[in-house]
């Protein structure tokens, strides 16, 4: 009878560790931040989470890690950092304000309506894209879960197959020995007769 360690990692804990680490990779965070977060949720140390990730879980998610890195790279390319814009209107001199107002383009009412409509359409497209991104992220997470479960199931089935093959070889050996014993008994019986 084998006893289970009280601090042994469960399948669900491994899954949670993988989900959080992959999300941090995808969103540009660090693995150390992910280990801290998982540690708090599982009441384990960040070091224990890091060790488990590097020694066991990471090997199960090689393709997931590559995908998360590609997604992070695409996200960086699509969202370049915004330049800091300094707007210091408190200290603008009065004549500079007048000059600034003269430089402004006076918009016609129709132009303003057209501009606002285009902004509204862009906002709608952006929200649709955000919804699509969320949907795809959820699908990716579900597929990663399925992949993890299937990999675990595959590993279990391989162990079962190896066990069955070993049992089969042992049975063949026993049958071979029994056949040889029967042959020996038949030979002894023929010699006595």
């Amino acid at each position: 009878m084998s006893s289970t360690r009280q601090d042994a990692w469960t399948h669900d804990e491994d899954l949670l560790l993988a989900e959080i680490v992959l999300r941090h990779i995808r969103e540009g965070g660090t693995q150390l931040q992910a280990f801290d977060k998982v540690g708090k949720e599982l009441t384990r140390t960040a070091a224990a989470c890091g060790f488990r990730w590097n020694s066991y879980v990471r090997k199960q998610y090689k393709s997931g890690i590559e995908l998360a890195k590609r997604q992070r790279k695409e996200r960086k390319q699509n969202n370049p950092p915004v330049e800091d814009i300094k707007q210091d209107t408190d200290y603008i001199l009065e004549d500079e304000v007048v000059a600034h107002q003269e430089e402004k383009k006076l918009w016609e009412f129709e132009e303003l309506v057209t501009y606002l409509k285009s902004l509204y359409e862009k906002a709608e497209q952006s929200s649709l894209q955000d919804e699509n991104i969320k949907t795809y992220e959820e699908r990716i997470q579900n597929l990663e879960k399925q992949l993890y479960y299937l990999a675990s199931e595959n590993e279990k089935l391989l162990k079962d197959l190896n066990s069955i093959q070993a049992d089969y070889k042992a049975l063949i050996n026993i049958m071979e020995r029994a056949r040889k014993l029967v042959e020996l008994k038949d030979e002894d019986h023929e010699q006595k007769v």
Side-chain angles (χ1 to χ4, degrees):
M1 186 183 275
S2 66
S3 62
T4 305
R5 288 180 51 166
Q6 290 180 346
D7 63 344
W9 284 78
T10 66
H11 180 72
D12 290 337
E13 288 174 331
D14 285 342
L15 185 60
L16 179 67
L17 175 63
E19 285 180 39
I20 291 175
V21 170
L22 290 172
R23 188 178 320 125
H24 271 72
I25 292 172
R26 187 171 35 254
E27 294 173 356
T30 66
Q31 288 182 13
L32 293 176
Q33 292 168 335
F35 299 152
D36 284 337
K37 184 172 182 179
V38 175
K40 288 176 185 171
E41 290 191 29
L42 298 178
T43 62
R44 293 182 181 268
T45 64
C49 296
F51 182 78
R52 181 65 176 180
W53 172 258
N54 287 317
S55 65
Y56 178 74
V57 179
R58 178 175 50 90
K59 296 170 188 168
Q60 310 297 323
Y61 286 94
K62 290 180 181 179
S63 62
I65 293 169
E66 291 303 315
L67 177 63
K69 287 179 180 178
R70 282 196 306 268
Q71 289 172 339
R72 179 182 63 206
K73 187 177 179 182
E74 289 172 7
R75 183 178 280 182
K76 283 183 180 179
Q77 289 173 350
N78 293 336
N79 297 324
V82 178
E83 294 179 13
D84 293 335
I85 300 173
K86 185 176 181 181
Q87 295 183 345
D88 227 354
T89 57
D90 293 341
Y91 301 106
I92 297 178
L93 298 173
E94 197 169 311
D95 58 337
E96 290 177 348
V97 171
V98 172
H100 180 66
Q101 288 175 350
E102 289 174 1
E103 290 175 9
K104 282 185 179 178
K105 180 179 178 184
L106 296 176
W107 289 23
E108 295 288 330
F109 181 73
E110 294 85 22
E111 291 175 330
L112 183 59
V113 170
T114 305
Y115 176 72
L116 290 175
K117 282 182 180 179
S118 69
L119 282 179
Y120 182 75
E121 289 172 3
K122 287 179 183 177
E124 282 183 340
Q125 289 174 355
S126 176
S127 66
L128 289 175
Q129 288 176 349
D130 289 343
E131 289 175 14
N132 287 340
I133 289 171
K134 287 179 184 176
T135 302
Y136 287 127
E137 285 176 347
E138 289 173 2
R139 286 182 63 195
I140 288 169
Q141 287 178 354
N142 289 334
L143 290 172
E144 287 173 346
K145 286 179 187 178
Q146 287 178 351
L147 177 64
Y148 182 75
Y149 285 124
L150 290 174
S152 298
E153 185 67 24
N154 186 40
E155 186 177 327
K156 181 182 176 252
L157 290 173
L158 286 174
K159 286 179 184 176
D160 290 348
L161 176 64
N162 289 337
S163 175
I164 290 170
Q165 287 176 338
D167 290 347
Y168 176 75
K169 287 179 183 177
L171 179 63
I172 294 296
N173 286 336
I174 290 170
M175 290 176 63
E176 184 63 27
R177 287 183 194 162
R179 186 186 59 77
K180 287 181 181 178
L181 282 174
V182 168
E183 287 177 358
L184 286 174
K185 284 184 181 179
D186 286 347
E187 288 176 8
D188 285 346
H189 183 68
E190 289 177 3
Q191 287 178 358
K192 288 182 182 178
V193 174

